[in-house]
Amino acid sequence: MLRTHHWAPALVFVLVSTLSADRPQPHFGKVVEAGHMLAPRSGHTATLLNDGRVLIVGGMVRNGEFLDSAEFYDPAKRSFTASGAHMKIKRVGQTAALLKDGRLFIVGGWTGGIATTAEIYDPKTDRFTNEIPMTVPRARATATTLQDGRVLVTGGARADDRSGQKAAEIFDPATMKFTAVGDMKDGRTAHTATLLHDRTVLIAGGMSDHHSVASAEVFDPKTNKFSVVGPMRQERYKHTAQMLADGRVLIAGGSDDRDWKGMLAEAEVYDPAKRSFTPTQEMAEKRFKLSDEAALLPDGSVLIAGGAAKAEIFDPKRGSFNSLNSGTETPQWYLSETTLKNGEVLLLGGYSTSMTATDKAWIYQP
């Protein structure tokens, strides 16, 4: 007679569970402390230069205490050294773009009022040169180096950080002059600008007249005109963006009109082929006051840090976020996030609940 063993399914379950537990879990890397900058900074810029060093410029220690100083981070020595250079004026909330010839373009920001000029840093001389007048004052604008070497500058605060303007202009390094181009559809400040594979620029979100916007548009350098795309699924500003390896763009975090009470975990992806946005999984944490650009990692995933104590990784293949067990220990708002040539990511400064900037540095190791 054949006997039925009712315990067999339970045994199979135990075996499967044990095998699952023994499988190696994915490793998403970690954030470790990396020393201290020479000055505490938030709202600064940190740009990877062609020689592999990072130039850190400006920012503020606390409200009203702005910086004109600059310093280097050297990944080979894992140390910070002072630059002999100082900007012509103290700036916070300025924007930086690396020019084709290796010089660094710094534009706008708050200077006590709203900045009316840009400056150029030359690594060959370790000096900031010129104060180049813009067509309009702007703070927390975007600056995008186009394929032809010109720089597109869009939006920015015109009175306060909730009053974004429509005006855009082009800086030409050959002539060292700005030229106004057509206005955007919406006023924007604390928005994002992403250079796409087809050489156009995606402009997304921001704050207009005291209202965050969900609108997006694309700038075409061939015509110097903007065309409407999208809109996004979520109104947002002070968010972050990063183009993925396949040409799509991840937009994540930020806040709505309510700022601290309206912080967002929502994320979405822009598809240039469809000129539309699709929601993706939410982040593990609500975050705002982020770097304009998140960090693209060597494997195609994206690191998002700042605005929360722990960092997280976006996996574009699965459309999901994975929270790390490490980060900046406390939330850091307006820290910088810079991908190094070795694939690590340098995280610098920002301010936390004390409302005073830190000089701390961290490295994300994939």
Side-chain angles (χ1 to χ4, degrees):
M1 177 183 291
L2 180 64
R3 296 181 180 179
T4 302
H5 299 283
H6 295 286
W7 47 262
L11 177 60
V12 171
F13 174 78
V14 171
L15 289 172
V16 170
S17 299
T18 303
L19 289 172
S20 298
D22 289 341
R23 288 175 183 167
Q25 298 301 306
H27 179 63
F28 298 114
K30 60 182 178 179
V31 177
V32 298
E33 292 189 6
H36 297 264
M37 293 184 288
L38 303 182
R41 303 174 190 268
S42 67
H44 53 285
T45 59
T47 309
L48 182 69
L49 302 177
N50 287 341
D51 63 8
R53 295 178 301 164
V54 176
L55 180 65
I56 305 139
V57 178
M60 72 177 187
V61 178
R62 58 183 64 84
N63 281 335
E65 187 178 345
F66 302 163
L67 301 170
D68 60 5
S69 62
E71 57 185 287
F72 295 103
Y73 175 74
D74 187 337
K77 299 178 180 178
R78 295 191 177 272
S79 63
F80 294 88
T81 56
S83 164
H86 287 260
M87 290 187 291
K88 303 297 183 183
I89 53 176
K90 297 177 179 180
R91 302 175 189 258
V92 62
Q94 74 276 9
T95 306
L98 192 66
L99 302 178
K100 294 286 187 179
D101 62 7
R103 294 180 299 164
L104 185 64
F105 176 72
I106 301 284
V107 61
W110 281 277
T111 62
I114 294 181
T116 61
T117 62
E119 304 184 38
I120 301 285
Y121 172 80
D122 189 340
K124 294 179 180 177
T125 61
D126 190 27
R127 291 288 181 270
F128 287 93
T129 59
N130 306 91
E131 267 198 271
I132 310 156
M134 296 183 287
T135 60
V136 294
R138 54 180 93 232
R140 208 163 291 287
T142 63
T144 309
T145 303
L146 304 173
Q147 196 68 32
D148 62 12
R150 298 178 302 156
V151 181
L152 172 68
V153 180
T154 67
R158 65 177 189 272
D160 56 42
D161 65 356
R162 298 178 67 85
S163 59
Q165 60 181 310
K166 297 180 179 180
E169 55 192 309
I170 292 279
F171 173 71
D172 188 341
T175 63
M176 297 290 284
K177 292 182 179 179
F178 285 92
T179 303
V181 294
D183 286 353
M184 295 181 291
K185 174 184 177 292
D186 285 314
R188 304 177 191 274
T189 185
H191 52 296
T192 55
T194 308
L195 183 66
L196 304 178
H197 282 166
D198 65 1
R199 303 183 181 183
T200 62
V201 181
L202 173 68
I203 313 292
M207 179 72 74
S208 187
D209 290 317
H210 296 264
H211 293 288
S212 56
V213 298
S215 66
E217 44 200 304
V218 166
F219 175 79
D220 187 341
K222 294 179 181 177
T223 62
N224 283 351
K225 294 185 182 299
F226 294 90
S227 60
V228 174
V229 298
M232 294 189 292
R233 301 302 182 97
Q234 172 69 53
E235 296 178 359
R236 65 179 85 227
Y237 85 128
K238 298 179 180 177
H239 53 282
T240 192
Q242 176 59 57
M243 188 170 72
L244 306 174
D246 62 9
R248 296 178 302 151
V249 180
L250 173 69
I251 307 284
S255 66
D256 60 21
D257 295 355
R258 297 170 296 163
D259 282 298
W260 296 95
K261 294 181 179 180
M263 290 190 293
L264 301 169
E266 286 85 351
E268 49 195 299
V269 173
Y270 174 74
D271 186 338
K274 299 177 181 177
R275 295 171 67 89
S276 63
F277 294 84
T278 303
T280 190
Q281 185 189 59
E282 292 185 1
M283 293 186 292
E285 303 280 354
K286 295 179 178 181
R287 304 171 185 268
F288 86 137
K289 296 188 176 182
L290 301 173
S291 299
D292 294 344
E293 188 175 271
L296 185 66
L297 302 176
D299 66 356
S301 59
V302 178
L303 175 73
I304 296 181
K310 293 181 180 179
E312 49 193 296
I313 300 287
F314 176 72
D315 182 343
K317 294 178 180 177
R318 294 180 173 84
S320 62
F321 288 89
N322 300 284
S323 184
L324 302 183
N325 292 323
S326 55
T328 54
E329 299 176 4
T330 58
Q332 296 295 329
W333 295 288
Y334 290 138
L335 94 169
S336 59
E337 190 174 354
T338 310
T339 303
L340 306 176
K341 289 189 174 182
N342 64 3
E344 295 180 336
V345 181
L346 177 66
L347 308 175
L348 297 174
Y351 72 90
S352 192
T353 51
S354 68
M355 305 301 285
T356 300
T358 183
D359 62 1
K360 283 187 176 180
W362 301 265
I363 288 284
Y364 168 73
Q365 300 171 336

